[in-house]
Amino acid sequence: MIINNYIVFEGIDGAGTTTQIKLLAERFPKENVFTTAEPTGSETGKFLRRMLKGEFSVDERTASYLFAADRCEHIYGKCGIIEQTQNGKTVLSDRYFFSSLAYQSVTCGKELPELLNSPFPLPELLFYFKIDPEKSLKRVLSRGGNIEIYEKLDFQKKTAEAYDEVIKLYDGTEKGRGMTVITVDAEKSIEEIAEFIWNCVKNLPIHKA
Ligand code: TYD
């Protein structure tokens, strides 16, 4: 199933999805857009954020289940993505199950993330932010603050490769079931990327005023 009016941004850490999602949201009248992210602000999401900070560790398989559980509530729960789109909103999400297929395939292999995430519906549009992991990690480190457990060059390189594979699996394939996949050159300037994304979104038939 495809969820119409649901747009997902994906990429390795520091690829710029958070910046761009904010800029895209500003193009919409406030009442027409719902911006969200994974991990979510739910109790499961908060638990995951603490794990990402390195406060404690769980088995990598457990982490896969937790990301999927958080996602399940994000999609189907009260005020979740399906409900928001049914209320006429365009939903913009910073990460979705493609993050699990990429990151968790590095930590615990492809099989479990695939099994846990294949039942989820697809977004109408997926923006994949592609960037050299050395460049994106520099951005992450230059922000200061705490470094999360996955924010290491070796890990980000593997995740970038895994993302490329995942995107290939969904782009124009039977598995993609009609979802539009657009690769963004995330090394371009913030303004250029914002313009590129808006040009893609505004031309979608459902978003025309
Ligand atoms: P991120 O989206 O970069 O948020 P923030 O900028 O607030 O730190 O961080 C979330 C991290 O969680 C990122 O390293 C990717 C990881 N992640 C997974 O490993 N699997 C998932 O399914 C999701 C949604 C995120």
Side-chain angles (χ1 to χ4, degrees):
M1 182 188 124
I2 293 243
I3 304 180
N4 281 328
N5 276 349
Y6 177 34
I7 302 175
V8 168
F9 285 36
E10 288 278 1
I12 54 175
D13 290 86
T17 55
T18 309
T19 303
Q20 290 299 332
I21 221 160
K22 278 191 196 132
L23 293 172
L24 178 59
E26 283 169 12
R27 308 260 191 178
F28 290 84
K30 255 204 179 103
E31 63 279 14
N32 292 355
V33 69
F34 178 75
T35 306
T36 183
E38 291 185 1
T40 70
S42 73
E43 291 304 316
T44 314
K46 285 184 205 155
F47 185 84
L48 281 164
R49 295 244 174 234
R50 289 177 49 212
M51 181 206 80
L52 289 165
K53 280 192 208 149
E55 286 183 23
F56 55 84
S57 64
V58 296
D59 184 272
E60 298 299 356
R61 286 161 292 197
T62 311
S64 283
Y65 281 99
L66 288 167
F67 280 115
D70 184 40
R71 181 163 301 129
C72 194
E73 198 58 21
H74 197 203
I75 280 284
Y76 301 110
K78 202 164 159 25
C79 302
I81 291 165
I82 290 184
E83 193 179 314
Q84 298 290 343
T85 58
Q86 281 170 350
N87 288 338
K89 306 244 179 174
T90 294
V91 176
L92 311 178
S93 182
D94 195 352
R95 302 191 177 282
Y96 187 45
F97 73 72
F98 309 96
S99 283
S100 280
L101 298 183
Y103 285 79
Q104 275 62 58
S105 78
V106 177
T107 59
C108 65
K110 287 182 193 166
E111 208 175 316
L112 184 63
E114 174 80 32
L115 181 77
L116 297 176
N117 289 286
S118 55
F120 290 119
L122 291 170
E124 180 186 5
L125 185 53
L126 167 64
F127 285 107
Y128 169 48
F129 283 53
K130 199 165 158 57
I131 187 167
D132 172 1
E134 302 214 8
K135 290 187 182 154
S136 52
L137 192 62
K138 263 194 199 143
R139 288 183 187 172
V140 171
L141 299 178
S142 71
R143 283 179 203 150
N146 291 331
I147 301 301
E148 291 183 343
I149 55 169
Y150 298 147
E151 292 170 341
K152 297 185 189 107
L153 186 56
D154 183 46
F155 187 88
Q156 293 290 320
K157 279 185 177 166
K158 287 184 193 153
T159 308
E161 278 173 26
Y163 256 127
D164 285 346
E165 271 184 43
V166 168
I167 296 304
K168 256 192 225 143
L169 277 177
Y170 283 88
D171 188 5
T173 61
E174 204 176 311
K175 212 176 168 64
R177 287 174 275 159
M179 168 179 69
T180 302
V181 180
I182 296 174
T183 298
V184 175
D185 178 352
E187 295 187 13
K188 289 209 163 130
S189 73
I190 291 177
E191 295 75 21
E192 278 175 293
I193 297 172
E195 213 46 44
F196 173 77
I197 289 178
W198 177 236
N199 279 323
C200 299
V201 171
K202 77 175 180 203
N203 290 327
L204 286 177
I206 47 169
H207 299 289
K208 280 189 182 157

